[in-house]
Amino acid sequence: MKKLTRQIKIGNVPIGGGAPCSVQSMCSTDTRNVAATLDQIGRLAEAGCEIVRCAVPDMDAAQALAAIKAGSPLPLIADIHFDYKLALQALESGVDGLRLNPGNIGERWKVAEVVKAAAERQIPIRIGVNGGSLEKELLVKYGHPTPEAMVESALGHVRILEELNYREIKISIKVSDVLRTLEAYRLLSDAVDYPLHIGVTEAGTIFSGTIKSSVGLGILLHQGIGDTMRVSLTGDPVHEVRVAYDILKCLGIRQRGINFVSCPTCGRCQIDLIPVAEEVERRLAHLDKNITVAVMGCSVNGPGEAREADFGIAGGRGEGLLFKHGEILRKVPQDKLADALIEEVLKP
């Protein structure tokens, strides 16, 4: 059962309170380049991203957020570190959320200024604890970024906001190690009822990062932990969105895009299946339909899997059978299999 947390809103996207786990990403562009940033946000939106975050390294970037917000199809979060003036300008620019740690903003009056401005606009704040930037005193106390150290850090930042009577909060607590991330989120989930933003930070490239994120986030989501998520990958952020939806889809939490099934190939396979499978998956990646498409390579499991799918092919010797809703439509030569399957899937 999913843990019921408090609900906040980032723009029109509900977070927590029983709402579906939302999918986020972060722009890799220079925020000061408004055109490039909006172009990337547009591609993220097409992929299904629901919330986007932009880095705010300086005042020029904070001011550029106004134009980005005006042109963005997605709610916009400003990522702030150290300088409270950047947070104030980001709020003035109309962002829908802030990501900052009150403890690294400086004196309490600076935090109070940011909270006052956020409260006036009903803008939530995400407290984002990262194992790579833990407070020095906690590193001394615990020796390294243990789950307990990260939770203590998060609760300290929460306390600052609560003392200012501010509770429009969500929390993330990330480290690149999957097991420490799991334990940290479990401890945090037991300690608070604020919505949690989950992720395995600095997970790696598209290959290794997808594996780490799928394991870590999959376990947390299955245990009912997680109200919004970002898959952190070294690469085009559009991949982050696609991987996030595949994780949610595998767990039966949310459905976006097709369910793609293909066999791993073996000595029984009598067609060159790998390029066929890759082509079908690539050409149907844009499709947002609740259907299963199967690409199978031999006569052992292939016909059965293909029949269970909405659309499918099962390979034979240099050719394959084309299926639709369990019925064989026709035989198709190997070099025509991908086209035939895609054509059938895309028919009105």
Side-chain angles (χ1 to χ4, degrees):
M1 293 290 293
K2 189 176 190 303
K3 178 178 176 179
L4 190 64
T5 54
R6 297 180 183 219
Q7 187 169 97
I8 61 172
K9 281 194 171 183
I10 304 295
N12 60 356
V13 179
I15 309 292
C21 183
S22 58
V23 173
Q24 302 192 25
S25 187
M26 185 171 182
C27 285
S28 58
T29 55
D30 185 334
T31 305
R32 292 163 294 198
N33 187 334
V34 173
T37 301
L38 284 174
D39 177 72
Q40 190 171 76
I41 291 173
R43 293 192 299 109
L44 287 167
E46 287 177 4
C49 186
E50 294 167 302
I51 300 168
V52 69
R53 180 160 46 111
C54 288
V56 185
D58 57 29
M59 190 57 70
D60 287 340
Q63 292 169 345
L65 290 172
I68 294 169
K69 170 62 182 171
S72 174
L74 301 177
L76 184 65
I77 294 177
D79 192 278
I80 308 291
H81 294 278
F82 308 119
D83 190 347
Y84 82 106
K85 293 179 181 177
L86 299 181
L88 293 176
Q89 179 58 56
L91 290 167
E92 188 67 29
S93 293
V95 297
D96 301 289
L98 294 176
R99 187 275 194 189
L100 57 81
N101 289 342
N104 71 22
I105 291 295
E107 294 92 334
R108 184 63 61 95
W109 67 266
K110 294 179 179 178
V111 180
E113 285 289 309
V114 174
V115 168
K116 179 174 180 291
E120 288 171 351
R121 297 166 172 82
Q122 296 183 306
I123 299 301
I125 294 174
R126 169 158 74 97
I127 292 169
V129 173
N130 190 303
S133 55
L134 212 59
E135 296 95 317
K136 290 180 181 178
E137 59 269 23
L138 290 176
L139 290 175
V140 170
K141 178 178 178 179
Y142 290 95
H144 62 98
T146 64
E148 294 79 7
M150 291 188 291
V151 171
E152 185 172 330
S153 174
L155 296 180
H157 293 303
V158 168
R159 196 175 308 114
I160 293 172
L161 295 184
E162 288 181 337
E163 287 171 357
L164 293 167
N165 296 314
Y166 191 79
R167 287 176 170 77
E168 293 296 302
I169 300 169
K170 69 179 186 290
I171 311 171
S172 68
I173 185 165
K174 300 181 183 180
V175 67
S176 58
D177 178 81
V178 172
L179 294 179
R180 277 191 290 155
T181 296
L182 291 174
E183 183 59 20
Y185 273 110
R186 289 179 187 131
L187 292 172
L188 184 62
S189 181
D190 288 341
V192 301
D193 65 353
Y194 292 113
L196 300 185
H197 170 118
I198 59 173
V200 178
T201 194
E202 294 133 12
T205 59
I206 291 171
F207 177 77
S208 61
T210 293
I211 293 170
K212 287 182 183 178
S213 297
S214 298
V215 172
L217 301 186
I219 291 172
L220 288 173
L221 290 164
H222 188 62
Q223 293 176 343
I225 298 171
D227 301 287
T228 184
M229 64 189 288
R230 180 197 173 190
V231 173
S232 298
L233 300 176
T234 305
D236 188 329
V238 169
H239 291 296
E240 299 183 349
V241 178
R242 291 175 179 160
V243 172
Y245 275 109
D246 277 347
I247 294 170
L248 293 168
K249 184 165 52 180
C250 286
L251 293 167
I253 295 172
R254 295 188 67 180
Q255 172 67 43
R256 182 181 172 86
I258 66 169
N259 179 34
F260 183 72
V261 177
S262 65
C263 72
T265 77
C266 67
R268 293 189 301 266
C269 189
Q270 294 180 304
I271 64 170
D272 191 7
L273 187 73
I274 294 173
V276 175
E278 289 177 344
E279 182 179 355
V280 171
E281 185 175 38
R282 176 180 58 80
R283 288 171 61 183
L284 295 180
H286 70 285
L287 202 62
D288 187 15
K289 284 186 177 181
N290 187 13
I291 60 172
T292 296
V293 177
V295 177
M296 307 301 293
C298 78
S299 59
V300 176
N301 296 320
E305 288 283 1
R307 284 195 184 97
E308 289 298 312
D310 296 285
F311 303 90
I313 52 175
R317 189 182 298 275
E319 62 184 10
L321 295 175
L322 177 65
F323 291 84
K324 179 179 179 180
H325 302 306
E327 300 294 328
I328 297 174
L329 296 181
R330 61 185 183 274
K331 285 185 178 181
V332 180
Q334 175 181 312
D335 61 346
K336 304 294 184 184
L337 277 172
D339 287 338
L341 177 57
I342 291 164
E343 180 183 340
E344 203 62 46
V345 171
L346 296 180
K347 279 183 179 178

